[in-house]
Every structure is written in structure tokens, then in C-alpha cells.
């Protein structure tokens, strides 16, 4: 049984590959840029243009289960190829924003969710909220004096570790009972952006402090629909739960754990 993982260059896609390998499953990675995709030696990498029928057919040939990123371009072609190949189950990485249509992030994911739901293919949808890994965006602008510029330092999030998303994906792909399910997923705690910077500072063992910047300044390194959501959120605690534990049975990883797991990378980014 071959497992296909699309979006193999992404943080979640790579975590799914690693988790499937740890479970002893044969994996094929697919990427729009296979030449830039780094995966373990045991994993073959194929190029995938979902809008190209030949490319889609080659990617799913011999595949029984697939983890898909929510790439809207070519989704109908990819669905047709998956049905023709006899794919038995798909797990889709969507977004919690899809639960409230009318926002750019949610609508972009619903464009993929709906054709898959209508296809008749056994489907599990994961809808995580804010990725812990999004902290990389903030650190991309850290100054030499350790100042992290953020427009809304007190806005709160429920950041989820990509390994928790991957674990939920692997459970949904390898165990029965998950077809037809939509799993909203959050991290285990609500944290302000300011508190997350403090935890990042602990992980990299370097003083970091937040300085408020303008909305327009933040657009240089932050996705504007995210900024708009932050602007509307205020500083109320972010709802917590259900976490990945609802799928995996294991306690969800904290943001501090994410920072510790990526300390070497983060230390380089804040040097």
C-alpha cells in the first residue's frame, strides 16, 4: 500500500512523510518543484501539476491512500485521477477558517473541500487553526538588537505543532473509522503573540522583545488576510480545542515544545 503526500516541501507535508515512515509505511512524495524537495532517501519524489491529467495520473498511480494540501488549481483533474486509480482514502489539510465562509483563507480551502466531498471518495478533512510554525514569519524581521516587530502583540492564538497535525493525518489514513469526518484542531493553549516571543526567546537562549509596528509595516512580511483577522480579533483568548488528542489519543504538544524542537533553526534565524 503506497501513501502519497502532496506539498512535500511544506512543514506539515514533511511531518506527515516522517510520521508515515516511522509507522513503516511506503511513501511517495509529490511536489510542484521536485528539484527543490528534500526528503529521506527511501522516499521517491514525483512532480505534480494537478491541472495536468498526465501528471496527476502518474502521481496517484498505484496509490491507495493520499494526504493532500489544499491546492485549488486542478483539483477536479486530481479527483478524477484519484478515482480512476482506485485511491481508497484521502486526508485533506484544510483550515479552521473554512468553517466560516466569506474570508479569503476559508474560501480558498473550501474550493478544495467541496469537490472532494462531492467525489464520493472516502475523505477526512483536517481543519487546524494557527500553525506554531507561523512564528517563522515574525522572526524573519527580527532586528540585530533582538526586537521583533508585531502590529498586534496582545492578539491571542491557539498555535498547533505541525507534528500533531501529521499524527492526526496518519491516524486518519491508517486506521478505520475516519472517513466522512471533519476534525477541527487547535493547539492546547491560548497565547498572546507577546508570550510566544517570550517562549521563543527561552528556546534560543537570547533576549527578544516585542515592539509594536504599524499594519502597513507588517504587510512587508505577514500575509495580509492574517493581519486582517488579527485586527478584528482584539485580545480575547483564542478558543482551545478540540486538539489533536481527539484523534490521536495523545496530549497535544505545546508551543514551548515546538520552539524547543526547532531551537537550532530558530537560533540561526535570530542570530
Amino acid at each position: 500500500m503506497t501513501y502519497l503526500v502532496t506539498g512535500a516541501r511544506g512543514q506539515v507535508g514533511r511531518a506527515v512523510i516522517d510520521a508515515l515512515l516511522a509507522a513503516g509505511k511506503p511513501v511517495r512524495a509529490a511536489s510542484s518543484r521536485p528539484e527543490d524537495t528534500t526528503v529521506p532517501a527511501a522516499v521517491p519524489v514525483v512532480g505534480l501539476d494537478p491541472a495536468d491529467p498526465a501528471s496527476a495520473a502518474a502521481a496517484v498511480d498505484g496509490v491507495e491512500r493520499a494526504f493532500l494540501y489544499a491546492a485549488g488549481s486542478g483539483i477536479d483533474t486530481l479527483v478524477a485521477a484519484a478515482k480512476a486509480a482506485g485511491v481508497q482514502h484521502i486526508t485533506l489539510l484544510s483550515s479552521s477558517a473554512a468553517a466560516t465562509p466569506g474570508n479569503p483563507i476559508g474560501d480558498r480551502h473550501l474550493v478544495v473541500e467541496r469537490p472532494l466531498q462531492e467525489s464520493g471518495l472516502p475523505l477526512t478533512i483536517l481543519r487546524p487553526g494557527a500553525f506554531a510554525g507561523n512564528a517563522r514569519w515574525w522572526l524573519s524581521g527580527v532586528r540585530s538588537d533582538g526586537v521583533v516587530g508585531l502590529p498586534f502583540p496582545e492578539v491571542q492564538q491557539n498555535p498547533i505543532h505541525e507534528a500533531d497535525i501529521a499524527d492526526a493525518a496518519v491516524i486518519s489514513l491508517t486506521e478505520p473509522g475516519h472517513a466522512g469526518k471533519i476534525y477541527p484542531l487547535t493547539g492546547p493553549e491560548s497565547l498572546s503573540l507577546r508570550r510566544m516571543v517570550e517562549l521563543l526567546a527561552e528556546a534560543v537562549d537570547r533576549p527578544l522583545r516585542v515592539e509594536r509596528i504599524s499594519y502597513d509595516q507588517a504587510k512587508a512580511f505577514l500575509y495580509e488576510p492574517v493581519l486582517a483577522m488579527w485586527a478584528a480579533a482584539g485580545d480575547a483568548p483564542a478558543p482551545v480545542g478540540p486538539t489533536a488528542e481527539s484523534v490521536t489519543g495523545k496530549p497535544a504538544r505545546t508551543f514551548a515544545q515546538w520552539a524547543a524542537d526547532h531551537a537550532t533553526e530558530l537560533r540561526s534565524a535570530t542570530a
Side-chain angles (χ1 to χ4, degrees):
M1 177 184 296
T2 298
Y3 292 76
L4 177 70
V5 177
T6 73
R9 288 183 298 114
Q11 57 182 312
V12 179
R14 177 54 193 271
V16 172
I17 289 171
D18 291 343
L20 284 168
L21 289 176
K25 306 300 183 183
V27 184
R28 177 186 302 161
S31 171
S32 61
R33 289 161 50 191
E35 68 280 1
D36 296 330
T37 302
T38 302
V39 295
V43 178
V45 181
V46 297
L48 174 59
D49 175 1
D52 176 8
S55 174
V60 298
D61 182 40
V63 166
E64 295 187 33
R65 298 178 182 271
F67 173 81
L68 301 184
Y69 262 44
S73 176
I75 185 59
D76 292 331
T77 299
L78 186 58
V79 165
K83 293 178 74 171
V87 172
Q88 296 177 9
H89 192 98
I90 289 173
T91 292
L92 174 70
L93 177 62
S94 185
S95 166
S96 61
T100 52
N103 67 86
I105 298 173
D107 290 349
R108 179 168 60 84
H109 287 84
L110 285 171
V111 165
V112 183
E113 284 192 13
R114 286 168 177 157
L116 284 167
Q117 289 171 319
E118 294 165 0
S119 71
L121 289 165
L123 174 68
T124 303
I125 297 174
L126 305 182
R127 285 181 174 173
F131 291 2
N134 290 350
R136 295 182 177 94
W137 298 344
W138 324 332
L139 296 181
S140 67
V142 65
R143 294 190 334 214
S144 60
D145 59 359
V147 169
V148 179
L150 289 170
F152 305 104
E154 308 312 325
V155 75
Q156 298 205 30
Q157 294 191 315
N158 45 27
I160 184 170
H161 197 307
E162 68 272 5
D164 279 345
I165 303 172
D167 287 348
V170 170
I171 291 291
S172 70
L173 286 168
T174 61
E175 297 185 4
H178 299 281
K181 301 291 182 65
I182 297 177
Y183 293 119
L185 301 172
T186 78
E189 56 195 338
S190 178
L191 299 170
S192 69
L193 302 188
R194 188 183 301 279
R195 178 57 181 152
M196 283 188 259
V197 170
E198 293 172 353
L199 292 169
L200 290 168
E202 292 175 15
V204 301
D205 195 26
R206 180 198 170 180
L208 299 172
R209 64 182 179 85
V210 172
E211 184 176 284
R212 188 185 292 271
I213 61 175
S214 72
Y215 189 102
D216 285 340
Q217 287 173 309
K219 286 194 297 186
F221 61 94
L222 291 170
Y223 184 42
E224 190 165 1
V226 171
L227 285 174
M229 291 173 64
W230 286 0
D235 58 2
V240 172
T243 70
E245 186 173 5
S246 65
V247 183
T248 67
K250 301 185 297 185
R253 298 167 174 89
T254 64
F255 183 80
Q257 180 64 59
W258 180 87
D261 290 343
H262 296 276
T264 300
E265 169 200 346
L266 297 171
R267 203 170 286 118
S268 296
T270 57

